[in-house]
mmCIF file with all atom_site columns, all heavy atoms in Angstrom:
data_model
loop_
_atom_site.group_PDB
_atom_site.id
_atom_site.type_symbol
_atom_site.label_atom_id
_atom_site.label_alt_id
_atom_site.label_comp_id
_atom_site.label_asym_id
_atom_site.label_entity_id
_atom_site.label_seq_id
_atom_site.pdbx_PDB_ins_code
_atom_site.Cartn_x
_atom_site.Cartn_y
_atom_site.Cartn_z
_atom_site.occupancy
_atom_site.B_iso_or_equiv
_atom_site.pdbx_formal_charge
_atom_site.auth_seq_id
_atom_site.auth_comp_id
_atom_site.auth_asym_id
_atom_site.auth_atom_id
_atom_site.pdbx_PDB_model_num
ATOM 1   N N   . ARG L 1 1  ? -72.844 29.291 47.701 1.00 96.00 ? 1361 ARG L N   1
ATOM 2   C CA  . ARG L 1 1  ? -72.477 30.101 46.587 1.00 96.00 ? 1361 ARG L CA  1
ATOM 3   C C   . ARG L 1 1  ? -72.671 31.605 46.748 1.00 96.00 ? 1361 ARG L C   1
ATOM 4   O O   . ARG L 1 1  ? -73.713 31.991 47.246 1.00 96.00 ? 1361 ARG L O   1
ATOM 5   C CB  . ARG L 1 1  ? -73.216 29.672 45.299 1.00 96.00 ? 1361 ARG L CB  1
ATOM 6   C CG  . ARG L 1 1  ? -72.957 28.232 44.946 1.00 96.00 ? 1361 ARG L CG  1
ATOM 7   C CD  . ARG L 1 1  ? -73.727 27.793 43.690 1.00 96.00 ? 1361 ARG L CD  1
ATOM 8   N NE  . ARG L 1 1  ? -73.691 26.365 43.565 1.00 96.00 ? 1361 ARG L NE  1
ATOM 9   C CZ  . ARG L 1 1  ? -72.629 25.677 43.227 1.00 96.00 ? 1361 ARG L CZ  1
ATOM 10  N NH1 . ARG L 1 1  ? -71.483 26.280 42.953 1.00 96.00 ? 1361 ARG L NH1 1
ATOM 11  N NH2 . ARG L 1 1  ? -72.689 24.331 43.127 1.00 96.00 ? 1361 ARG L NH2 1
ATOM 12  N N   . THR L 1 2  ? -71.716 32.400 46.302 1.00 96.00 ? 1362 THR L N   1
ATOM 13  C CA  . THR L 1 2  ? -71.830 33.803 46.278 1.00 96.00 ? 1362 THR L CA  1
ATOM 14  C C   . THR L 1 2  ? -71.606 34.307 44.821 1.00 96.00 ? 1362 THR L C   1
ATOM 15  O O   . THR L 1 2  ? -71.730 35.531 44.646 1.00 96.00 ? 1362 THR L O   1
ATOM 16  C CB  . THR L 1 2  ? -70.838 34.506 47.224 1.00 96.00 ? 1362 THR L CB  1
ATOM 17  O OG1 . THR L 1 2  ? -69.543 34.134 46.850 1.00 96.00 ? 1362 THR L OG1 1
ATOM 18  C CG2 . THR L 1 2  ? -71.155 34.156 48.686 1.00 96.00 ? 1362 THR L CG2 1
ATOM 19  N N   . ALA L 1 3  ? -71.311 33.462 43.949 1.00 97.00 ? 1363 ALA L N   1
ATOM 20  C CA  . ALA L 1 3  ? -71.016 33.835 42.544 1.00 97.00 ? 1363 ALA L CA  1
ATOM 21  C C   . ALA L 1 3  ? -71.733 32.906 41.579 1.00 97.00 ? 1363 ALA L C   1
ATOM 22  O O   . ALA L 1 3  ? -72.124 31.809 41.958 1.00 97.00 ? 1363 ALA L O   1
ATOM 23  C CB  . ALA L 1 3  ? -69.498 33.844 42.331 1.00 97.00 ? 1363 ALA L CB  1
ATOM 24  N N   . SER L 1 4  ? -71.824 33.344 40.324 1.00 97.00 ? 1364 SER L N   1
ATOM 25  C CA  . SER L 1 4  ? -72.415 32.523 39.267 1.00 97.00 ? 1364 SER L CA  1
ATOM 26  C C   . SER L 1 4  ? -71.551 31.347 39.014 1.00 97.00 ? 1364 SER L C   1
ATOM 27  O O   . SER L 1 4  ? -70.317 31.340 39.304 1.00 97.00 ? 1364 SER L O   1
ATOM 28  C CB  . SER L 1 4  ? -72.504 33.339 37.967 1.00 97.00 ? 1364 SER L CB  1
ATOM 29  O OG  . SER L 1 4  ? -73.382 34.542 38.258 1.00 97.00 ? 1364 SER L OG  1
ATOM 30  N N   . ALA L 1 5  ? -72.166 30.236 38.527 1.00 97.00 ? 1365 ALA L N   1
ATOM 31  C CA  . ALA L 1 5  ? -71.448 29.039 38.319 1.00 97.00 ? 1365 ALA L CA  1
ATOM 32  C C   . ALA L 1 5  ? -72.152 28.184 37.271 1.00 97.00 ? 1365 ALA L C   1
ATOM 33  O O   . ALA L 1 5  ? -73.384 28.250 37.068 1.00 97.00 ? 1365 ALA L O   1
ATOM 34  C CB  . ALA L 1 5  ? -71.343 28.221 39.566 1.00 97.00 ? 1365 ALA L CB  1
ATOM 35  N N   . ASN L 1 6  ? -71.376 27.404 36.516 1.00 98.00 ? 1366 ASN L N   1
ATOM 36  C CA  . ASN L 1 6  ? -71.933 26.373 35.526 1.00 98.00 ? 1366 ASN L CA  1
ATOM 37  C C   . ASN L 1 6  ? -71.772 25.041 36.073 1.00 98.00 ? 1366 ASN L C   1
ATOM 38  O O   . ASN L 1 6  ? -70.742 24.690 36.594 1.00 98.00 ? 1366 ASN L O   1
ATOM 39  C CB  . ASN L 1 6  ? -71.152 26.474 34.184 1.00 98.00 ? 1366 ASN L CB  1
ATOM 40  C CG  . ASN L 1 6  ? -71.358 27.824 33.483 1.00 98.00 ? 1366 ASN L CG  1
ATOM 41  O OD1 . ASN L 1 6  ? -72.467 28.358 33.534 1.00 98.00 ? 1366 ASN L OD1 1
ATOM 42  N ND2 . ASN L 1 6  ? -70.347 28.260 32.823 1.00 98.00 ? 1366 ASN L ND2 1
ATOM 43  N N   . GLY L 1 7  ? -72.827 24.250 35.944 1.00 98.00 ? 1367 GLY L N   1
ATOM 44  C CA  . GLY L 1 7  ? -72.747 22.875 36.405 1.00 98.00 ? 1367 GLY L CA  1
ATOM 45  C C   . GLY L 1 7  ? -72.061 22.002 35.396 1.00 98.00 ? 1367 GLY L C   1
ATOM 46  O O   . GLY L 1 7  ? -71.682 22.451 34.240 1.00 98.00 ? 1367 GLY L O   1
ATOM 47  N N   . THR L 1 8  ? -71.838 20.753 35.717 1.00 98.00 ? 1368 THR L N   1
ATOM 48  C CA  . THR L 1 8  ? -71.194 19.802 34.855 1.00 98.00 ? 1368 THR L CA  1
ATOM 49  C C   . THR L 1 8  ? -72.239 19.277 33.896 1.00 98.00 ? 1368 THR L C   1
ATOM 50  O O   . THR L 1 8  ? -73.407 18.948 34.305 1.00 98.00 ? 1368 THR L O   1
ATOM 51  C CB  . THR L 1 8  ? -70.682 18.577 35.730 1.00 98.00 ? 1368 THR L CB  1
ATOM 52  O OG1 . THR L 1 8  ? -69.725 19.117 36.596 1.00 98.00 ? 1368 THR L OG1 1
ATOM 53  C CG2 . THR L 1 8  ? -70.025 17.579 34.837 1.00 98.00 ? 1368 THR L CG2 1
ATOM 54  N N   . GLY L 1 9  ? -71.873 19.087 32.648 1.00 98.00 ? 1369 GLY L N   1
ATOM 55  C CA  . GLY L 1 9  ? -72.828 18.516 31.628 1.00 98.00 ? 1369 GLY L CA  1
ATOM 56  C C   . GLY L 1 9  ? -73.175 17.065 32.002 1.00 98.00 ? 1369 GLY L C   1
ATOM 57  O O   . GLY L 1 9  ? -72.247 16.316 32.340 1.00 98.00 ? 1369 GLY L O   1
ATOM 58  N N   . VAL L 1 10 ? -74.412 16.647 31.826 1.00 97.00 ? 1370 VAL L N   1
ATOM 59  C CA  . VAL L 1 10 ? -74.835 15.292 32.036 1.00 97.00 ? 1370 VAL L CA  1
ATOM 60  C C   . VAL L 1 10 ? -75.202 14.706 30.742 1.00 97.00 ? 1370 VAL L C   1
ATOM 61  O O   . VAL L 1 10 ? -76.014 15.230 29.987 1.00 97.00 ? 1370 VAL L O   1
ATOM 62  C CB  . VAL L 1 10 ? -76.041 15.293 33.050 1.00 97.00 ? 1370 VAL L CB  1
ATOM 63  C CG1 . VAL L 1 10 ? -76.587 13.875 33.123 1.00 97.00 ? 1370 VAL L CG1 1
ATOM 64  C CG2 . VAL L 1 10 ? -75.649 15.852 34.391 1.00 97.00 ? 1370 VAL L CG2 1
ATOM 65  N N   . ASP L 1 11 ? -74.614 13.561 30.433 1.00 96.00 ? 1371 ASP L N   1
ATOM 66  C CA  . ASP L 1 11 ? -74.731 12.853 29.166 1.00 96.00 ? 1371 ASP L CA  1
ATOM 67  C C   . ASP L 1 11 ? -76.010 12.017 29.217 1.00 96.00 ? 1371 ASP L C   1
ATOM 68  O O   . ASP L 1 11 ? -76.198 11.113 30.077 1.00 96.00 ? 1371 ASP L O   1
ATOM 69  C CB  . ASP L 1 11 ? -73.540 11.988 28.931 1.00 96.00 ? 1371 ASP L CB  1
ATOM 70  C CG  . ASP L 1 11 ? -73.521 11.417 27.499 1.00 96.00 ? 1371 ASP L CG  1
ATOM 71  O OD1 . ASP L 1 11 ? -74.473 11.485 26.785 1.00 96.00 ? 1371 ASP L OD1 1
ATOM 72  O OD2 . ASP L 1 11 ? -72.454 10.796 27.205 1.00 96.00 ? 1371 ASP L OD2 1
ATOM 73  N N   . ARG L 1 12 ? -76.948 12.295 28.279 1.00 95.00 ? 1372 ARG L N   1
ATOM 74  C CA  . ARG L 1 12 ? -78.178 11.468 28.253 1.00 95.00 ? 1372 ARG L CA  1
ATOM 75  C C   . ARG L 1 12 ? -77.942 10.113 27.653 1.00 95.00 ? 1372 ARG L C   1
ATOM 76  O O   . ARG L 1 12 ? -78.865 9.299  27.582 1.00 95.00 ? 1372 ARG L O   1
ATOM 77  C CB  . ARG L 1 12 ? -79.244 12.248 27.512 1.00 95.00 ? 1372 ARG L CB  1
ATOM 78  C CG  . ARG L 1 12 ? -79.708 13.511 28.298 1.00 95.00 ? 1372 ARG L CG  1
ATOM 79  C CD  . ARG L 1 12 ? -80.674 14.380 27.592 1.00 95.00 ? 1372 ARG L CD  1
ATOM 80  N NE  . ARG L 1 12 ? -81.884 13.619 27.300 1.00 95.00 ? 1372 ARG L NE  1
ATOM 81  C CZ  . ARG L 1 12 ? -82.605 13.822 26.191 1.00 95.00 ? 1372 ARG L CZ  1
ATOM 82  N NH1 . ARG L 1 12 ? -82.295 14.801 25.340 1.00 95.00 ? 1372 ARG L NH1 1
ATOM 83  N NH2 . ARG L 1 12 ? -83.654 13.117 25.967 1.00 95.00 ? 1372 ARG L NH2 1
ATOM 84  N N   . TYR L 1 13 ? -76.749 9.901  27.063 1.00 93.00 ? 1373 TYR L N   1
ATOM 85  C CA  . TYR L 1 13 ? -76.410 8.561  26.473 1.00 93.00 ? 1373 TYR L CA  1
ATOM 86  C C   . TYR L 1 13 ? -75.505 7.831  27.404 1.00 93.00 ? 1373 TYR L C   1
ATOM 87  O O   . TYR L 1 13 ? -74.489 7.232  26.985 1.00 93.00 ? 1373 TYR L O   1
ATOM 88  C CB  . TYR L 1 13 ? -75.866 8.779  25.128 1.00 93.00 ? 1373 TYR L CB  1
ATOM 89  C CG  . TYR L 1 13 ? -76.845 9.194  24.102 1.00 93.00 ? 1373 TYR L CG  1
ATOM 90  C CD1 . TYR L 1 13 ? -77.160 10.568 24.042 1.00 93.00 ? 1373 TYR L CD1 1
ATOM 91  C CD2 . TYR L 1 13 ? -77.429 8.343  23.270 1.00 93.00 ? 1373 TYR L CD2 1
ATOM 92  C CE1 . TYR L 1 13 ? -78.152 11.006 23.101 1.00 93.00 ? 1373 TYR L CE1 1
ATOM 93  C CE2 . TYR L 1 13 ? -78.381 8.760  22.327 1.00 93.00 ? 1373 TYR L CE2 1
ATOM 94  C CZ  . TYR L 1 13 ? -78.735 10.115 22.302 1.00 93.00 ? 1373 TYR L CZ  1
ATOM 95  O OH  . TYR L 1 13 ? -79.653 10.517 21.374 1.00 93.00 ? 1373 TYR L OH  1
ATOM 96  N N   . LEU L 1 14 ? -75.799 7.774  28.667 1.00 85.00 ? 1374 LEU L N   1
ATOM 97  C CA  . LEU L 1 14 ? -74.994 7.199  29.727 1.00 85.00 ? 1374 LEU L CA  1
ATOM 98  C C   . LEU L 1 14 ? -74.943 5.704  29.613 1.00 85.00 ? 1374 LEU L C   1
ATOM 99  O O   . LEU L 1 14 ? -75.996 5.032  29.563 1.00 85.00 ? 1374 LEU L O   1
ATOM 100 C CB  . LEU L 1 14 ? -75.574 7.553  31.056 1.00 85.00 ? 1374 LEU L CB  1
ATOM 101 C CG  . LEU L 1 14 ? -74.874 7.158  32.314 1.00 85.00 ? 1374 LEU L CG  1
ATOM 102 C CD1 . LEU L 1 14 ? -73.526 7.885  32.475 1.00 85.00 ? 1374 LEU L CD1 1
ATOM 103 C CD2 . LEU L 1 14 ? -75.705 7.494  33.542 1.00 85.00 ? 1374 LEU L CD2 1
ATOM 104 N N   . ASN L 1 15 ? -73.684 5.169  29.529 1.00 80.00 ? 1375 ASN L N   1
ATOM 105 C CA  . ASN L 1 15 ? -73.482 3.734  29.500 1.00 80.00 ? 1375 ASN L CA  1
ATOM 106 C C   . ASN L 1 15 ? -74.303 3.005  28.413 1.00 80.00 ? 1375 ASN L C   1
ATOM 107 O O   . ASN L 1 15 ? -74.773 1.919  28.582 1.00 80.00 ? 1375 ASN L O   1
ATOM 108 C CB  . ASN L 1 15 ? -73.810 3.036  30.834 1.00 80.00 ? 1375 ASN L CB  1
ATOM 109 C CG  . ASN L 1 15 ? -72.907 3.526  31.977 1.00 80.00 ? 1375 ASN L CG  1
ATOM 110 O OD1 . ASN L 1 15 ? -71.726 3.809  31.728 1.00 80.00 ? 1375 ASN L OD1 1
ATOM 111 N ND2 . ASN L 1 15 ? -73.401 3.638  33.140 1.00 80.00 ? 1375 ASN L ND2 1
ATOM 112 N N   . GLY L 1 16 ? -74.486 3.725  27.275 1.00 79.00 ? 1376 GLY L N   1
ATOM 113 C CA  . GLY L 1 16 ? -75.235 3.110  26.174 1.00 79.00 ? 1376 GLY L CA  1
ATOM 114 C C   . GLY L 1 16 ? -76.714 3.099  26.249 1.00 79.00 ? 1376 GLY L C   1
ATOM 115 O O   . GLY L 1 16 ? -77.404 2.629  25.339 1.00 79.00 ? 1376 GLY L O   1
ATOM 116 N N   . ALA L 1 17 ? -77.221 3.675  27.312 1.00 82.00 ? 1377 ALA L N   1
ATOM 117 C CA  . ALA L 1 17 ? -78.731 3.702  27.516 1.00 82.00 ? 1377 ALA L CA  1
ATOM 118 C C   . ALA L 1 17 ? -79.178 5.148  27.141 1.00 82.00 ? 1377 ALA L C   1
ATOM 119 O O   . ALA L 1 17 ? -79.095 6.035  27.959 1.00 82.00 ? 1377 ALA L O   1
ATOM 120 C CB  . ALA L 1 17 ? -79.071 3.443  28.982 1.00 82.00 ? 1377 ALA L CB  1
ATOM 121 N N   . ALA L 1 18 ? -79.717 5.309  25.949 1.00 90.00 ? 1378 ALA L N   1
ATOM 122 C CA  . ALA L 1 18 ? -80.133 6.642  25.512 1.00 90.00 ? 1378 ALA L CA  1
ATOM 123 C C   . ALA L 1 18 ? -81.439 7.040  26.263 1.00 90.00 ? 1378 ALA L C   1
ATOM 124 O O   . ALA L 1 18 ? -82.515 6.505  25.993 1.00 90.00 ? 1378 ALA L O   1
ATOM 125 C CB  . ALA L 1 18 ? -80.402 6.621  24.028 1.00 90.00 ? 1378 ALA L CB  1
ATOM 126 N N   . PHE L 1 19 ? -81.310 7.880  27.233 1.00 93.00 ? 1379 PHE L N   1
ATOM 127 C CA  . PHE L 1 19 ? -82.449 8.300  28.094 1.00 93.00 ? 1379 PHE L CA  1
ATOM 128 C C   . PHE L 1 19 ? -83.282 9.325  27.318 1.00 93.00 ? 1379 PHE L C   1
ATOM 129 O O   . PHE L 1 19 ? -82.840 10.305 26.825 1.00 93.00 ? 1379 PHE L O   1
ATOM 130 C CB  . PHE L 1 19 ? -81.931 8.891  29.423 1.00 93.00 ? 1379 PHE L CB  1
ATOM 131 C CG  . PHE L 1 19 ? -81.372 7.861  30.298 1.00 93.00 ? 1379 PHE L CG  1
ATOM 132 C CD1 . PHE L 1 19 ? -80.030 7.572  30.279 1.00 93.00 ? 1379 PHE L CD1 1
ATOM 133 C CD2 . PHE L 1 19 ? -82.178 7.161  31.219 1.00 93.00 ? 1379 PHE L CD2 1
ATOM 134 C CE1 . PHE L 1 19 ? -79.500 6.625  31.193 1.00 93.00 ? 1379 PHE L CE1 1
ATOM 135 C CE2 . PHE L 1 19 ? -81.680 6.177  32.043 1.00 93.00 ? 1379 PHE L CE2 1
ATOM 136 C CZ  . PHE L 1 19 ? -80.301 5.964  32.050 1.00 93.00 ? 1379 PHE L CZ  1
ATOM 137 N N   . GLN L 1 20 ? -84.563 9.005  27.271 1.00 94.00 ? 1380 GLN L N   1
ATOM 138 C CA  . GLN L 1 20 ? -85.516 9.822  26.522 1.00 94.00 ? 1380 GLN L CA  1
ATOM 139 C C   . GLN L 1 20 ? -86.038 10.997 27.387 1.00 94.00 ? 1380 GLN L C   1
ATOM 140 O O   . GLN L 1 20 ? -86.494 11.994 26.762 1.00 94.00 ? 1380 GLN L O   1
ATOM 141 C CB  . GLN L 1 20 ? -86.686 8.938  26.006 1.00 94.00 ? 1380 GLN L CB  1
ATOM 142 C CG  . GLN L 1 20 ? -86.147 7.834  25.090 1.00 94.00 ? 1380 GLN L CG  1
ATOM 143 C CD  . GLN L 1 20 ? -87.319 6.950  24.769 1.00 94.00 ? 1380 GLN L CD  1
ATOM 144 O OE1 . GLN L 1 20 ? -88.186 7.256  23.962 1.00 94.00 ? 1380 GLN L OE1 1
ATOM 145 N NE2 . GLN L 1 20 ? -87.310 5.713  25.361 1.00 94.00 ? 1380 GLN L NE2 1
ATOM 146 N N   . ASP L 1 21 ? -86.058 10.892 28.640 1.00 95.00 ? 1381 ASP L N   1
ATOM 147 C CA  . ASP L 1 21 ? -86.621 11.917 29.506 1.00 95.00 ? 1381 ASP L CA  1
ATOM 148 C C   . ASP L 1 21 ? -85.549 12.378 30.560 1.00 95.00 ? 1381 ASP L C   1
ATOM 149 O O   . ASP L 1 21 ? -84.766 11.623 31.029 1.00 95.00 ? 1381 ASP L O   1
ATOM 150 C CB  . ASP L 1 21 ? -87.851 11.346 30.244 1.00 95.00 ? 1381 ASP L CB  1
ATOM 151 C CG  . ASP L 1 21 ? -88.927 10.844 29.319 1.00 95.00 ? 1381 ASP L CG  1
ATOM 152 O OD1 . ASP L 1 21 ? -89.164 11.632 28.344 1.00 95.00 ? 1381 ASP L OD1 1
ATOM 153 O OD2 . ASP L 1 21 ? -89.502 9.833  29.528 1.00 95.00 ? 1381 ASP L OD2 1
ATOM 154 N N   . ALA L 1 22 ? -85.724 13.708 30.931 1.00 97.00 ? 1382 ALA L N   1
ATOM 155 C CA  . ALA L 1 22 ? -84.816 14.252 31.937 1.00 97.00 ? 1382 ALA L CA  1
ATOM 156 C C   . ALA L 1 22 ? -85.564 15.327 32.734 1.00 97.00 ? 1382 ALA L C   1
ATOM 157 O O   . ALA L 1 22 ? -86.422 16.086 32.271 1.00 97.00 ? 1382 ALA L O   1
ATOM 158 C CB  . ALA L 1 22 ? -83.639 14.895 31.254 1.00 97.00 ? 1382 ALA L CB  1
ATOM 159 N N   . LEU L 1 23 ? -85.186 15.398 33.997 1.00 97.00 ? 1383 LEU L N   1
ATOM 160 C CA  . LEU L 1 23 ? -85.636 16.397 34.978 1.00 97.00 ? 1383 LEU L CA  1
ATOM 161 C C   . LEU L 1 23 ? -84.403 17.036 35.610 1.00 97.00 ? 1383 LEU L C   1
ATOM 162 O O   . LEU L 1 23 ? -83.482 16.311 35.920 1.00 97.00 ? 1383 LEU L O   1
ATOM 163 C CB  . LEU L 1 23 ? -86.501 15.798 36.105 1.00 97.00 ? 1383 LEU L CB  1
ATOM 164 C CG  . LEU L 1 23 ? -87.799 15.141 35.755 1.00 97.00 ? 1383 LEU L CG  1
ATOM 165 C CD1 . LEU L 1 23 ? -88.395 14.458 37.053 1.00 97.00 ? 1383 LEU L CD1 1
ATOM 166 C CD2 . LEU L 1 23 ? -88.774 16.197 35.274 1.00 97.00 ? 1383 LEU L CD2 1
ATOM 167 N N   . VAL L 1 24 ? -84.463 18.329 35.767 1.00 98.00 ? 1384 VAL L N   1
ATOM 168 C CA  . VAL L 1 24 ? -83.431 19.005 36.559 1.00 98.00 ? 1384 VAL L CA  1
ATOM 169 C C   . VAL L 1 24 ? -84.068 19.305 37.935 1.00 98.00 ? 1384 VAL L C   1
ATOM 170 O O   . VAL L 1 24 ? -85.121 19.896 38.012 1.00 98.00 ? 1384 VAL L O   1
ATOM 171 C CB  . VAL L 1 24 ? -82.963 20.335 35.914 1.00 98.00 ? 1384 VAL L CB  1
ATOM 172 C CG1 . VAL L 1 24 ? -81.994 21.091 36.791 1.00 98.00 ? 1384 VAL L CG1 1
ATOM 173 C CG2 . VAL L 1 24 ? -82.385 20.032 34.545 1.00 98.00 ? 1384 VAL L CG2 1
#
C-alpha cells in the first residue's frame, strides 16, 4: 500500500452465531 484504504466490514452475526468478542 502507498495510499489510505478502508477494509471490508466484518459481521459479528456471522451465520447466526452472534460473536461476543472480537480482535483486530
Side-chain angles (χ1 to χ4, degrees):
R1361 300 182 192 287
T1362 58
S1364 300
N1366 292 325
T1368 302
V1370 174
D1371 189 353
R1372 294 177 58 211
Y1373 289 80
L1374 183 67
N1375 296 325
F1379 288 91
Q1380 299 173 74
D1381 300 317
L1383 295 173
V1384 175

